[in-house]
Amino acid sequence: MKKMLFVSIILVLTFGTVLAGCGGTSNVSGNKDTAAQTDTADNAKTNDQTANDDAAKTADTNSSGDAAKTDTVNTELSGEITFWNGLGKDDKSFDNVIVGFNKKYPNIKVKNLKNGTHYEIANKMKTAIAAGSGAPDVSTMEQSYISKFNATDAFVDLLQPPYDANRYAGDIPENIWEKFHSLDGKKLLAIPIDAPPGNMYYRTDIMEENGFPSDPDELATYMEDPDNLMNMAQTLKAQGKYIIEYDTEILDFLSDSRLFDKQLNYTHTGDKYIKGLDLSKKVKQLGLAANLQGDAWNQAVNNGKLAMISSASWYLNGLKVDSKDNAGRWRACRQPLNTYSVGGGSALVIPSQSKNKEAAWAFVEYALLTLEGQKELIKFNSLPAFKPALKLPEITDTEEPFLGGQKANALFASLVEKMPPDYPSSLEGAAWKVWSAGIDKAMKTNQDSRAALQQIADDVEKAVAKDKAELLKSIGQ
């Protein structure tokens, strides 16, 4: 569900409410995103792929440039760095990263503190920044929570010496690189850990039984046509099965991830939004969405009532649990209607309060900007944002038995650079509240889509006018 991660986190920022999962709006359901708010790797199981697989091919991806970049850091660095890890108390994804890091930097001790969810860590960070002390040396930061800090000096600018991270700009997709800059675009505040795209999971057996394409590429192409998508939904609904999870899912497919662009212009207007809202109203009128939550959703995933799920690459291991009786029957494909979306993601930041910034940067660089570090994270279902790691055999060649031997990582990797750019800002919380209420009203009253969207746009601009002016002023615009 494209918006599930963003909307729930943004609403948390607005209302200060800790969500149990990522079903943050009334029209969004499903337990598959329960772990998404706190961790895109919480449910991950260790991949049996080892670092020695296809050694020759791996060696080809280790460019001399990668080695040179890594060697720019002084391996004689020493001291202790505190790492706030928001990937969950049971997370082990960084354990072996730290082991490998210490082989290269034996004099740096890393205190891996698994002391809260992404939400909790963002709030702790905000408290520490306000107090002037108490921040760690390095921390995870979920991408949406960057909006709490991207108009401040809370984090070091990684474009400046001794970090000089701009030399890695070509190694991170531009659509991801830009989102971790300050709001004015002048500073780099974080290095992305992962880059999960939105995608679909679907039951091949149910597609075949009903005469629909079951091959991932063929099905995705078939679903580019909204008439085909609606035909599928109606055919399966007649059997008590669903490919649409909630009434406004199609609108979400056609919507940008954020309500504002890089210049803080409101984005959710125009023909594609009218089309999305029109189709969503038709879905509601025809009863084509499952609209399930909690245990009912879990049962539907396992018993075939839900024949298709919209989520992200990180949900694969969750699907193995939620639909444990259907191994081999599921596949992954890109989203319908020729759309692409951001499926979440997190990053590492170095707070300005860090007492050992150079050692903290050495850790960030090793973990996220070397193949050694990325190989360990990939074992925990992390899809790298580091482009050289996307060429590793663990990504390009690994077959997933649960998905019938599909090379799912290769599919996910092919979607990374197609994800639209998105720019977190502190305006999103208040704006999403208005958007959600307006869409809910339009759906319930069958309001003309163009008129409804214009009213929402006007209401959003009124709701954020003061904060927007102050934000623009703070960044010199």
Side-chain angles (χ1 to χ4, degrees):
M1 283 171 288
K2 174 180 174 181
K3 286 293 187 297
M4 185 170 291
L5 180 65
F6 295 116
V7 174
S8 58
I9 288 176
I10 289 164
L11 290 176
V12 167
L13 291 172
T14 306
F15 306 121
T17 303
V18 181
L19 299 184
C22 283
T25 58
S26 61
N27 63 351
V28 178
S29 61
N31 283 359
K32 68 175 176 293
D33 294 286
T34 298
Q37 177 190 343
T38 58
D39 177 16
T40 58
D42 264 347
N43 292 328
K45 298 176 183 176
T46 303
N47 191 320
D48 289 333
Q49 183 75 41
T50 69
N52 294 323
D53 287 345
D54 297 315
K57 187 180 291 187
T58 302
D60 289 341
T61 66
N62 281 282
S63 68
S64 58
D66 182 61
K69 290 170 185 174
T70 303
D71 290 340
T72 60
V73 177
N74 178 10
T75 55
E76 298 301 314
L77 289 170
S78 63
E80 179 176 282
I81 58 174
T82 300
F83 171 36
W84 283 4
N85 181 346
L87 299 179
K89 61 183 177 63
D90 297 321
D91 172 65
K92 298 183 184 300
S93 60
F94 274 94
D95 290 2
N96 284 337
V97 172
I98 293 171
V99 171
F101 174 73
N102 282 142
K103 289 179 180 178
K104 193 160 193 174
Y105 298 89
N107 299 317
I108 301 175
K109 179 181 179 181
V110 181
K111 291 181 64 177
N112 184 6
L113 301 182
K114 304 170 186 180
N115 59 345
T117 64
H118 283 312
Y119 166 79
E120 292 167 336
I121 280 182
N123 278 347
K124 289 177 182 178
M125 186 72 72
K126 191 173 182 180
T127 299
I129 299 303
S133 63
D137 296 291
V138 62
S139 177
T140 59
M141 187 62 57
E142 204 283 330
Q143 57 158 8
S144 290
Y145 294 129
I146 288 288
S147 65
K148 282 177 173 275
F149 309 100
N150 63 1
T152 74
D153 295 321
F155 305 140
V156 301
D157 177 8
L158 297 174
L159 298 178
Q160 301 303 314
Y163 324 107
D164 297 315
N166 199 51
R167 58 210 160 94
Y168 290 108
D171 290 329
I172 306 293
E174 184 179 1
N175 54 344
I176 300 168
W177 183 255
E178 288 193 3
K179 87 166 69 176
F180 292 110
H181 279 67
S182 57
L183 202 57
D184 61 9
K186 297 178 179 179
K187 303 174 184 177
L188 179 66
L189 306 180
I191 300 294
I193 296 173
D194 55 352
N199 66 273
M200 311 303 290
Y201 295 99
Y202 66 93
R203 286 279 297 271
T204 56
D205 53 331
I206 295 174
M207 296 300 121
E208 291 169 358
E209 289 167 3
N210 289 276
F212 298 119
S214 60
D215 174 79
D217 290 335
E218 292 176 5
L219 180 60
T221 300
Y222 181 79
M223 293 191 299
E224 288 179 2
D225 187 330
D227 290 337
N228 289 343
L229 184 63
M230 296 297 282
N231 177 49
M232 287 177 63
Q234 291 181 76
T235 299
L236 292 176
K237 196 253 181 171
Q239 304 171 27
K241 295 182 174 66
Y242 297 88
I243 61 166
I244 299 174
E245 292 186 73
Y246 56 97
D247 290 335
T248 56
E249 187 171 44
I250 291 178
L251 174 60
D252 282 351
F253 286 139
L254 291 166
S255 298
D256 294 331
S257 298
R258 307 283 177 183
L259 290 167
F260 299 94
D261 65 15
K262 192 174 184 179
Q263 288 73 40
L264 299 183
N265 298 308
Y266 180 73
T267 62
H268 279 41
T269 59
D271 290 344
K272 73 174 181 177
Y273 291 94
I274 295 170
K275 176 182 177 181
L277 186 51
D278 282 342
L279 286 170
S280 293
K281 288 189 289 189
K282 187 175 181 180
V283 167
K284 182 178 178 65
Q285 291 161 4
L286 297 176
L288 300 182
N291 291 317
L292 299 172
Q293 298 185 28
D295 290 341
W297 186 91
N298 288 336
Q299 293 167 11
V301 172
N302 200 38
N303 65 25
K305 187 173 183 177
L306 270 176
M308 187 175 291
I309 301 168
S310 169
S311 188
S313 56
W314 48 258
Y315 176 57
L316 176 56
N317 281 313
L319 182 61
K320 293 176 184 179
V321 175
D322 293 337
S323 193
K324 58 183 180 297
D325 298 331
N326 296 290
R329 295 173 179 168
W330 288 93
R331 298 290 187 277
C333 71
R334 58 186 171 87
Q335 290 180 170
L337 306 177
N338 203 24
T339 63
Y340 302 90
S341 68
V342 179
S346 55
L348 292 182
V349 299
I350 300 175
S352 298
Q353 292 179 14
S354 170
K355 295 180 175 61
N356 201 343
K357 295 181 179 67
E358 200 166 352
W361 169 242
F363 176 70
V364 171
E365 190 174 32
Y366 176 84
L368 305 183
L369 299 169
T370 71
L371 295 180
E372 303 147 281
Q374 285 290 350
K375 284 178 185 178
E376 295 302 329
L377 294 175
I378 289 170
K379 293 177 184 179
F380 290 84
N381 204 33
S382 176
L383 189 74
F386 185 51
K387 289 197 289 186
L390 291 174
K391 299 176 183 178
L392 289 168
E394 290 90 333
I395 298 295
T396 61
D397 298 343
T398 299
E399 297 180 354
E400 175 50 60
F402 188 85
L403 298 180
Q406 182 182 6
K407 293 181 179 180
N409 279 341
L411 167 67
F412 302 147
S414 74
L415 301 177
V416 169
E417 294 199 62
K418 295 181 179 180
M419 293 189 293
D422 66 297
Y423 306 98
S425 83
S426 57
L427 302 180
E428 295 283 333
W432 274 114
K433 181 181 178 182
V434 175
W435 166 267
S436 298
I439 293 299
D440 187 54
K441 177 183 176 182
M443 293 289 289
K444 288 179 178 177
T445 63
N446 198 29
Q447 184 180 5
D448 175 75
S449 296
R450 185 180 298 275
L453 289 164
Q454 184 58 57
Q455 184 62 58
I456 293 170
D458 293 342
D459 291 344
V460 166
E461 291 292 3
K462 290 177 185 176
V464 304
K466 181 180 178 181
D467 290 339
K468 183 176 180 179
E470 293 177 352
L471 199 56
L472 289 170
K473 182 179 179 180
S474 73
I475 60 175
Q477 294 186 22

